[in-house]
């Protein structure tokens, strides 16, 4: 497959995707929290999670980096391989039970500081993406019932059980952290049939569970919406909501191959690395890396040059280091070579950027 991503038709494990969906499927916008829990779980069981990441431009170590983002494609691949490797159909439950209000990050703290449970719940549809969720969420109130409804972002029938178990386990942990152990759903509904490990549900979910339903949802008594939260704090709440908004807006929309390469290159801008080096580090062939970059409308050198240009501008504006020294930090042994490259990248000479930043040229 070559050309612009808009012309690509991709396929999940079982379903074809439209061109627009295919591009979204590979956008690296999801915090890798769930994958991080999977990696921890594997290591506690003396399992090596590295094979789960082969060929996808991601490593287990990156799953604990708060700045890292992964695509749905990468997350689904790792989870599918983990399920096959461990033979444990209940992995979703095990991951979800390890999560907490704190593992929801800024949204968790925004919920904790909200005035009421209803105010906390209102944050979920707007900001659940910052938690690394793999399903889309909405809240519906109908009479005396309020429902937290989860829908598939992409069609992955073999993974929907994992996704729902992880999410609703986490949701239950969060509700109890906010309101205490008496808070529980009236019932749960899942759109999939009973899984092989269904006997575990009695120990995990303190309510009736219905399978083969029309949707995936947790149904609560709407009276909980007015319950005040003992951890409410107006100033902290507004601060955390602003942080959630900033995190949502700050995520760059880029293909996961570009994101993976950019992250790998970031600490090697002064090294004479090649596409072959990058492909080896990212667990894929050089041909695959180049094809994936071409599909995203870029190439290895273009990504590297863009990073070096951004870093050079940052150092020129924020430090007093000599221009020649900045060039050395980016792998240039000759200051004139760096100046020519910087002019090619940005259309400006380094001294002009430094003048704009009101710093002396050296």
């Amino acid at each position: 497959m070559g050309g612009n991503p808009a012309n690509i038709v991709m396929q999940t494990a079982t379903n074809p995707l439209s061109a627009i969906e295919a591009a979204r499927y590979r956008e690296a916008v999801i915090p890798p929290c769930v994958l991080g829990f999977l990696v921890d779980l594997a290591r506690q069981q003396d399992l090596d999670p590295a094979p789960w990441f082969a060929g996808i431009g991601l490593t287990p170590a990156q799953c604990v980096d708060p700045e890292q983002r992964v695509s749905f494609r990468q997350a689904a691949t790792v989870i599918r391989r983990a399920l096959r490797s461990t033979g444990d159909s209940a992995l979703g439950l095990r991951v979800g039970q390890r999560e907490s209000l704190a593992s929801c990050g800024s949204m968790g703290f925004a919920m904790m500081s909200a005035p009421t449970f209803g105010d906390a719940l209102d944050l979920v549809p707007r900001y659940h993406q910052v938690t690394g969720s793999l399903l889309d969420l909405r809240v519906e109130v109908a009479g005396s019932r309020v429902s937290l409804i989860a829908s598939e972002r992409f069609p992955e029938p073999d993974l929907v059980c994992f996704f729902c178990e992880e999410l609703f386990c986490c949701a239950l942990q969060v509700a109890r952290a906010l309101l205490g152990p008496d808070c529980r759903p009236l019932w749960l509904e899942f759109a999939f049939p009973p899984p092989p490990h269904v006997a575990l549900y009695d120990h995990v979910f303190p309510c009736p569970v219905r399978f083969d339903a029309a949707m995936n949802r947790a149904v609560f008594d709407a009276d909980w919406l007015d319950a005040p939260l003992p951890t409410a704090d107006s100033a902290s709440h507004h601060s955390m909501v602003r942080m959630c908004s900033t995190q949502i807006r700050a995520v760059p929309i880029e293909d996961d191959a570009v994101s993976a390469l950019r992250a790998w290159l970031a600490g090697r801008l002064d090294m004479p690395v090649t596409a072959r080096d990058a492909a080896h580090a990212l667990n894929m062939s050089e041909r695959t890396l180049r094809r994936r970059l071409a599909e995203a409308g870029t190439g290895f050198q273009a990504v590297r040059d863009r990073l070096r240009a951004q870093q050079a501008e940052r150092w020129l504006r924020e430090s007093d280091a000599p221009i020649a020294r900045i060039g050395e930090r980016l792998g240039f042994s000759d200051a004139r070579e760096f100046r020519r490259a910087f002019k090619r990248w940005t259309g400006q000479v380094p001294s002009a950027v430094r003048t704009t930043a009101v710093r002396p040229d050296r």
Side-chain angles (χ1 to χ4, degrees), residues 305-314 316-317 330 338-354:
D305 286 349
R306 185 166 70 250
L307 275 175
R308 293 202 291 178
Q310 291 169 346
Q311 186 61 70
E313 287 194 80
R314 187 175 302 115
L316 287 166
R317 294 181 187 280
L330 294 170
F338 168 61
R339 287 186 172 91
R340 286 195 295 269
F342 189 84
K343 179 73 179 295
R344 185 174 69 253
W345 297 336
T346 67
Q348 301 182 82
V349 294
S351 57
V353 174
R354 176 149 283 173

Side-chain angles (χ1 to χ4, degrees), residues 4-11 16-27 72 153-155 253 255:
N4 190 293
N7 298 320
I8 297 169
V9 176
M10 282 186 61
Q11 184 167 325
L17 297 177
S18 69
I20 293 175
E21 288 174 326
R24 287 182 54 235
Y25 191 65
R26 290 180 8 183
E27 287 175 354
F72 196 93
R153 197 168 301 168
F154 296 98
I253 306 300
D255 185 271

Side-chain angles (χ1 to χ4, degrees), residues 18 31 43 100 138 151 161 197 214 221 251 269 291 310 333 356:
S18 69
R43 288 176 173 158
S100 66
R138 68 182 192 274
S151 56
C161 177
H197 54 275
D221 191 318
V251 176
L269 296 181
R291 174 176 58 79
Q310 291 169 346
S333 57
T356 302

Side-chain angles (χ1 to χ4, degrees), residues 164-182:
C164 286
E165 290 178 347
E166 178 273 324
L167 184 141
F168 285 105
C169 270
C170 181
L172 181 58
Q173 306 274 72
V174 167
R176 287 174 161 177
L178 294 174
L179 293 171
D182 290 337

Side-chain angles (χ1 to χ4, degrees), residues 32-43 53 60 63-64 95 98:
C33 314
V34 172
L35 303 188
F37 281 110
L38 266 180
V39 168
D40 287 344
L41 199 61
R43 288 176 173 158
F53 293 80
C63 294
V64 296
V95 170
R98 300 167 69 87

Side-chain angles (χ1 to χ4, degrees), residues 19-81:
I20 293 175
E21 288 174 326
R24 287 182 54 235
Y25 191 65
R26 290 180 8 183
E27 287 175 354
V29 296
I30 305 170
C33 314
V34 172
L35 303 188
F37 281 110
L38 266 180
V39 168
D40 287 344
L41 199 61
R43 288 176 173 158
Q44 288 183 6
Q45 297 176 2
D46 294 324
L47 299 174
D48 179 11
W52 305 346
F53 293 80
I56 63 170
L58 188 67
T59 66
Q62 290 175 303
C63 294
V64 296
D65 181 352
E67 301 302 318
Q68 182 69 41
R69 294 295 181 268
V70 302
S71 67
F72 196 93
R73 178 191 74 91
Q74 290 171 316
T77 299
V78 172
I79 293 167
R80 186 172 287 113
R81 289 172 176 174

